[in-house]
């Protein structure tokens, strides 16, 4: 069992910020198109996280042209160039699935105070 | 070079490959295997895994002594492409494989016990509801007075699993000779800790 844990730990990235549910983040994703490589930014609200060492993933939701878009990113993937935290929201649950039913002003979150309680 | 190794399945884990994709891999501790005997037809007998002295029969102990080697749990034959390059007593390491190789993997599948036809032969089974009383039964097993017997080979319930299973083409994702580890793409037969054979194909 130890060998497997060891192998998985090698893939954990240490350069990522401390992301929490309720944060608004910008994910810079590497996109390979044939020979060329470019970076695409996906900005949205973290509505869920699955914390599993190197398999950790985040679900990011944004509303694009009136349509809700959700993307799940494997956090430790080398395809992720970097992640920026835009805003930290104060939330009281681990999964913000209720946000999907809300629109506009109702879908806002209060900002979290910089010092976590 | 010897065309295969005996190994132990460690388990599965997810890694990211060179192109950044997440791949599920099975980690196998492949080797080190010791050459016990050279055989006719460019083959060698390899030994793998430690074992207590008292568990090895005296005749077999003599066989190991002849090679000047320790006692091993598993003995298997493998092909060699150039028999002159291999000597008895030599250790074969996982570096005979490279990332990108396609290999054949043989393992002993997990035993499933006495299994019905739905599990064992992928029969459809009967209807679940609406008064059906035939849920997982095999149904008819043949005709009537002619031939008045059940044909041999008819797929029926019975012991399932616990047999040798070969996966014909498995991709090698990574090799770590210093740790004797080989990463194979996807699953391979058997439980963790089981003995597997990896052959070049």
């Amino acid at each position: 069992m130890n060998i497997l844990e060891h192998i998985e730990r090698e893939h954990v990235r240490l350069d990522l910020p401390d992301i929490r549910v309720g944060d608004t983040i910008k994910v810079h994703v590497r996109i390979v198109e044939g020979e060329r490589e470019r970076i695409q930014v996906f900005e949205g609200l973290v509505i869920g996280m699955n914390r599993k060492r190197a398999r950790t993933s985040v679900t990011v939701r944004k509303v694009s042209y009136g349509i809700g878009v959700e993307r799940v990113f494997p956090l430790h993937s080398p395809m992720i160039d970097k992640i920026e935290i835009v805003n930290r929201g104060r939330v009281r649950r681990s999964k913000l699935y209720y946000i999907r039913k809300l629109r506009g002003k109702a879908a806002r979150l209060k900002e979290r105070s910089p010092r976590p309680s | 070079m010897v065309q295969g190794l005996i190994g132990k399945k460690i388990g599965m884990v997810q890694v990211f490959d060179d192109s950044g994709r997440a791949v599920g891999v099975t980690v196998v501790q492949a080797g080190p295997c010791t050459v016990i005997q050279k055989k006719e037809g460019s083959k060698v007998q390899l030994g793998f895994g430690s074992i207590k002295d008292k568990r090895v029969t005296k005749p077999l102990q003599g066989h190991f002594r002849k090679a000047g080697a320790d006692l091993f749990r598993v003995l298997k034959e493998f092909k060699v492409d150039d028999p002159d390059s291999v000597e008895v007593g030599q250790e074969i390491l996982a570096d005979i494989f490279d990332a990108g190789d396609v290999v054949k993997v043989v393992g002993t599948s997990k035993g499933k016990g006495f299994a019905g036809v739905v599990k064992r032969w992928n029969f459809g089974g009967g209807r679940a509801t609406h008064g059906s009383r035939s849920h997982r039964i095999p149904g008819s097993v043949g005709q009537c007075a002619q031939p008045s017997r059940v044909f041999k080979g008819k797929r029926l319930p019975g012991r399932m699993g616990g047999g040798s299973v070969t996966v014909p083409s498995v991709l090698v994702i990574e090799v770590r000779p210093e740790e004797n580890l080989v990463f194979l793409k996807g699953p391979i037969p058997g439980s963790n800790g089981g003995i597997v054979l990896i052959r070049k194909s």
Side-chain angles (χ1 to χ4, degrees), chain A residues 3-4 7-8 10-11 54-55 74 76-79, chain B residues 10-16 19-20 27 176 181 183:
Chain A
I3 300 176
L4 297 179
I7 293 164
E8 195 177 356
E10 290 169 15
H11 289 270
R55 288 162 292 154
H76 297 280
S77 165
M79 298 309 278
Chain B
I10 304 285
M12 290 193 72
V13 72
Q14 178 186 297
V15 299
F16 291 103
S19 61
V27 181
R176 299 187 179 175
L181 296 181
F183 293 13

Side-chain angles (χ1 to χ4, degrees), chain B residues 7 30 39 47 50 63 68 73 89 91 100 105 112 114 116 122 157 163 183 194-195:
Chain B
K39 298 240 178 186
S50 59
H63 180 61
R73 186 174 288 271
E91 279 211 329
V105 180
K112 308 280 187 251
F114 193 97
N122 299 324
F183 293 13
I195 295 292

Side-chain angles (χ1 to χ4, degrees), chain A residues 2 14 24 27 30 39 48 50 64 70 72 77 86 111:
Chain A
N2 240 329
L14 304 170
T24 304
V27 186
R30 277 201 196 113
I39 284 172
N50 181 9
S64 172
E70 282 178 23
V72 183
S77 165
V86 180
E111 199 153 323

Side-chain angles (χ1 to χ4, degrees), chain A residues 68-113:
Chain A
V69 179
E70 282 178 23
R71 253 183 103 169
V72 183
F73 294 101
L75 259 198
H76 297 280
S77 165
M79 298 309 278
I80 289 179
D81 187 55
K82 63 174 175 181
I83 295 179
E84 291 172 68
I85 294 178
V86 180
N87 208 342
R88 289 188 176 277
R90 195 182 75 94
V91 291
R92 300 179 69 167
R93 55 207 70 227
S94 65
K95 302 282 186 283
L96 307 181
Y97 296 148
Y98 69 91
I99 289 270
R100 290 169 179 166
K101 290 188 188 145
L102 306 177
R103 284 284 132 99
K105 281 190 175 178
R108 288 172 308 169
L109 295 174
K110 272 187 189 153
E111 199 153 323
R112 200 171 84 202
S113 56

